[in-house]
């Protein structure tokens, strides 16, 4: 029996990326022997064990072949006769098909070490196309490793296009799609994930609401890039520099989604696109089983991002209404989220990436000023009940907004 470190831990260590998880492959063993050694069997589809002390995952070397659709359409063989080379052959990318023994010696039958040096995302074998999830995985790796100048091999991209046209992507479970998307949104270049999906024709299948934005024009005066799909990717690029919060990044992705529904006769204008996008956001989030807080923030962003652009010309009552809509009094973090999303929208335009977005800071500072209102004093010093309590609070907040506006002007 021989044990090797495999996959992402080796890749990340070679790239000076912090290693968070280690996966091991066991060659020349079987289930009974692993159990006798104290390992705990946890794999449902194939033999995976937890180490009795480190609790790291150890999998028996295995081969696999496809017999049906989707992730479940595989048969596995985890015989003690399966070699390390055979196990590595079934993996997705060469940079993930490297093993290392206990002495630190590399086993690299598919030239993954060279591809790491060449910054290349390349499939191990033609069996790559058997698992549709790999289209999303490669797109996610492209986003994760963009800062190191990794690119996708041309032949791998061709396979991804073939997979997109095969119909296999429709068999992916929503949870698996969202997991890859969530991880991509955490990366330094989340827009690359969606760009790759667009390039291999998978975006129209996985995210049709986002794909529909490509080719939709916007006014040249405000959008030098013209195309709403391009604008959406630019906003995602900007928001990733402003915040690491994944729900904020996702909301930015969805902020203009309603423009895909604008009748052509109204182009390049998109009146009411914020409200129009709300049903699409709900549909997208429900389909992929995206967490409710992501859906809520995305709906709020679609509804109010344009209003913040024009914050200097808003009436005090309308400004207060924005804070009320986002429930800023109970969830103050949303004020900064909305400011960041609006800033990303304003700067996510060709030639405008470096502009100073003063409206966002203005929106945040005004909220901080209004938040000084002492609600307890209002309740203690006024004989108010029910509706009149809220009316008084709103009245006092409007007064503070007016004071703030005077100070700023």
């Amino acid at each position: 029996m021989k044990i090797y470190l495999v996959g992402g831990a080796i890749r990340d260590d070679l790239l000076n990326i912090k290693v968070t998880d280690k996966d091991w492959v066991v060659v020349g063993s079987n289930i009974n022997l692993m159990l006798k050694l104290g390992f705990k069997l946890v794999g449902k589809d194939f033999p995976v064990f937890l180490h009795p002390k480190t609790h790291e995952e150890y999998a028996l070397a295995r081969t696999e072949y496809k017999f049906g659709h989707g992730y479940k359409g595989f048969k596995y063989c985890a015989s003690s006769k399966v070699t390390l080379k055979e196990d590595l052959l079934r993996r997705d990318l060469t940079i993930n098909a490297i093993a290392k023994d206990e002495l630190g010696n590399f086993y690299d039958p598919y030239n993954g070490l060279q591809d790491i040096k060449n910054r290349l995302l390349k499939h191990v074998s033609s069996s790559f196309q058997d698992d549709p999830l790999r289209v999303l995985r490669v797109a996610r790796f492209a986003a994760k490793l963009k800062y190191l100048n990794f690119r996708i091999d041309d032949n791998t991209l061709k396979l991804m296009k073939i997979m997109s046209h095969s119909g296999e992507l429709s068999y992916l479970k929503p949870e698996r799609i969202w997991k890859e998307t969530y991880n991509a949104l955490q990366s330094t270049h989340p827009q690359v994930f969606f760009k790759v999906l667009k390039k291999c024709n998978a975006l129209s299948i996985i995210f049709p609401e986002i794909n529909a934005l490509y080719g939709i024009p916007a006014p040249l005066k405000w959008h030098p890039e013209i195309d709403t799909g391009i604008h959406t990717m630019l906003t995602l690029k900007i928001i990733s520099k402003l915040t690491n919060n994944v729900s904020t990044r996702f909301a930015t992705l969805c902020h203009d989604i309603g423009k895909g529904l604008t009748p052509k006769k109204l182009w390049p204008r998109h009146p009411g696109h914020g409200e129009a996008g709300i049903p699409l956001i709900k549909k997208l989030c429900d389909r992929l089983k995206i967490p409710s807080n992501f859906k809520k923030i995305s709906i709020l962003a679609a509804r109010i991002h344009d209003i913040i652009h024009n914050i200097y010309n808003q009436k005090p009552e309308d400004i207060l209404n924005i804070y009320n809509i986002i429930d800023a009094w109970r969830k103050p973090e949303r004020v900064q989220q909305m400011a960041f999303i609006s800033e990303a929208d304003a700067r996510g335009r060709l030639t405008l990436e470096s502009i100073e977005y003063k409206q966002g800071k203005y929106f945040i500072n005004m909220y901080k000023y209004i938040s000084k209102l002492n609600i307890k004093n209002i309740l203690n010093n006024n004989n108010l009940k029910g509706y009149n309590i809220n009316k008084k609070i709103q009245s006092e907040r409007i007064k503070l907004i007016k004071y703030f506006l005077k100070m700023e002007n």
Side-chain angles (χ1 to χ4, degrees):
M1 184 178 84
K2 292 185 178 180
I3 298 174
Y4 299 87
L5 180 66
V6 293
I10 297 176
R11 176 200 69 229
D12 287 351
D13 184 55
L14 291 171
L15 292 171
N16 293 316
I17 298 173
K18 183 180 179 181
V19 175
T20 55
D21 295 301
K22 291 184 177 181
D23 292 319
W24 307 82
V25 65
V26 183
V27 180
S29 187
N30 57 52
I31 295 176
N32 290 333
L33 179 56
M34 296 295 285
L35 294 175
K36 285 182 180 179
L37 292 173
F39 286 81
K40 181 181 179 181
L41 180 63
V42 293
K44 294 180 180 179
D45 300 310
F46 45 82
V48 177
F49 304 83
L50 294 183
H51 190 281
K53 293 182 179 179
T54 66
H55 302 293
E56 292 174 341
E57 287 192 358
Y58 287 65
L60 294 181
R62 67 181 189 273
T63 58
E64 61 188 28
Y65 71 90
K66 190 173 179 64
F67 71 93
H69 296 294
Y71 179 69
K72 293 289 186 179
F74 288 89
K75 289 246 176 147
Y76 303 92
C77 174
S79 165
S80 59
K81 296 181 181 180
V82 175
T83 66
L84 178 59
K85 185 176 181 179
E86 289 174 321
D87 180 88
L88 295 177
L89 180 66
R90 67 176 176 78
R91 297 175 185 268
D92 52 6
L93 298 173
T94 59
I95 65 171
N96 297 329
I98 306 169
K100 188 164 68 171
D101 65 20
E102 58 185 5
L103 298 176
N105 299 310
F106 289 110
Y107 184 73
D108 180 32
Y110 307 109
N111 300 312
L113 292 173
Q114 187 61 47
D115 287 338
I116 286 179
K117 290 181 180 179
N118 294 337
R119 300 301 196 243
L120 194 62
L121 300 174
K122 183 179 180 181
H123 64 283
V124 175
S125 72
S126 59
S127 63
F128 171 90
Q129 62 189 316
D130 290 343
D131 185 356
L133 187 68
R134 288 175 172 176
V135 172
L136 278 77
R137 277 177 58 80
V138 173
R140 192 246 299 171
F141 278 121
K144 175 182 178 179
L145 301 176
K146 171 65 177 177
Y147 77 102
L148 292 174
N149 297 314
F150 269 78
R151 64 180 180 85
I152 301 173
D153 178 75
D154 290 342
N155 289 325
T156 301
L157 190 61
K158 287 180 182 178
L159 277 184
M160 292 166 68
K161 289 180 179 179
I162 291 172
M163 295 163 73
S164 296
H165 290 293
S166 71
E168 280 290 305
L169 293 178
S170 62
Y171 290 95
L172 288 175
K173 288 188 175 182
E175 295 86 352
R176 296 180 67 79
I177 293 174
W178 175 241
K179 181 179 179 180
E180 293 298 328
T181 304
Y182 182 89
N183 289 336
L185 287 169
Q186 286 185 307
S187 71
T188 53
H189 295 81
Q191 75 280 2
V192 171
F193 175 76
F194 298 95
K195 285 184 176 182
V196 170
L197 293 183
K198 176 65 177 176
K199 196 171 184 179
C200 71
N201 303 321
L203 192 66
S204 60
I205 302 168
I206 305 297
F207 296 99
E209 297 88 353
I210 303 302
N211 187 70
L213 299 178
Y214 283 91
I216 303 293
L220 177 62
K221 179 181 178 181
W222 308 113
H223 288 271
E225 74 288 343
I226 300 176
D227 189 289
T228 304
I230 294 174
H231 164 64
T232 298
M233 294 301 104
L234 289 171
T235 61
L236 197 51
K237 179 181 179 181
I238 296 296
I239 197 68
S240 68
K241 296 177 180 179
L242 296 175
T243 177
N244 292 325
N245 184 275
V246 180
S247 64
T248 309
R249 292 181 174 192
F250 179 76
T252 303
L253 174 73
C254 297
H255 80 284
D256 267 351
I257 209 169
K259 289 184 178 179
L261 297 177
T262 304
K264 287 186 178 181
K265 63 182 180 180
L266 296 179
W267 288 359
R269 297 177 60 254
H270 299 275
H273 71 274
E275 291 293 332
I278 293 174
L280 292 179
I281 292 171
K282 291 179 178 178
K283 182 179 178 181
L284 169 59
C285 292
D286 292 345
R287 184 179 70 250
L288 296 183
K289 299 183 179 179
I290 296 172
S292 59
N293 62 310
F294 281 67
K295 177 165 61 173
K296 182 64 176 178
I297 291 298
S298 299
I299 290 172
L300 292 174
R303 180 171 285 160
I304 72 166
H305 70 274
D306 274 348
I307 303 176
I308 295 178
H309 294 334
N310 197 34
I311 192 74
Y312 299 127
N313 298 317
Q314 300 290 337
K315 297 177 181 178
E317 292 80 7
D318 293 333
I319 294 174
L320 179 61
N321 190 44
I322 299 174
Y323 295 123
N324 288 337
I325 287 174
I326 66 175
D327 197 11
W329 320 113
R330 292 190 302 172
K331 300 184 178 181
E333 69 278 3
R334 287 182 176 175
V335 176
Q336 187 178 69
Q337 283 183 295
M338 293 301 126
F340 280 164
I341 292 167
S342 296
E343 179 174 348
D345 177 43
R347 293 173 54 198
R349 310 173 192 213
L350 288 180
T351 73
L352 300 176
E353 295 94 335
S354 299
I355 65 168
E356 183 181 4
Y357 188 72
K358 296 181 179 180
Q359 296 95 316
K361 295 176 183 177
Y362 193 80
F363 184 65
I364 292 172
N365 290 336
M366 189 185 306
Y367 172 75
K368 289 179 179 178
Y369 186 79
I370 305 169
S371 296
K372 294 178 181 178
L373 182 65
N374 193 319
I375 303 297
K376 288 185 178 179
N377 283 346
I378 293 177
L379 297 176
N380 294 333
N381 298 330
N382 295 274
N383 187 23
L384 301 172
K385 293 182 180 180
Y387 170 77
N388 289 326
I389 295 176
N390 183 60
K391 189 175 180 180
K392 178 64 175 177
I393 292 172
Q394 299 302 316
S395 175
E396 293 300 316
R397 283 173 175 161
I398 288 177
K399 286 182 182 178
L400 288 175
I401 291 176
K402 290 179 178 179
Y403 288 142
F404 180 86
L405 295 177
K406 285 182 179 180
M407 288 188 299
E408 290 296 313
N409 295 328

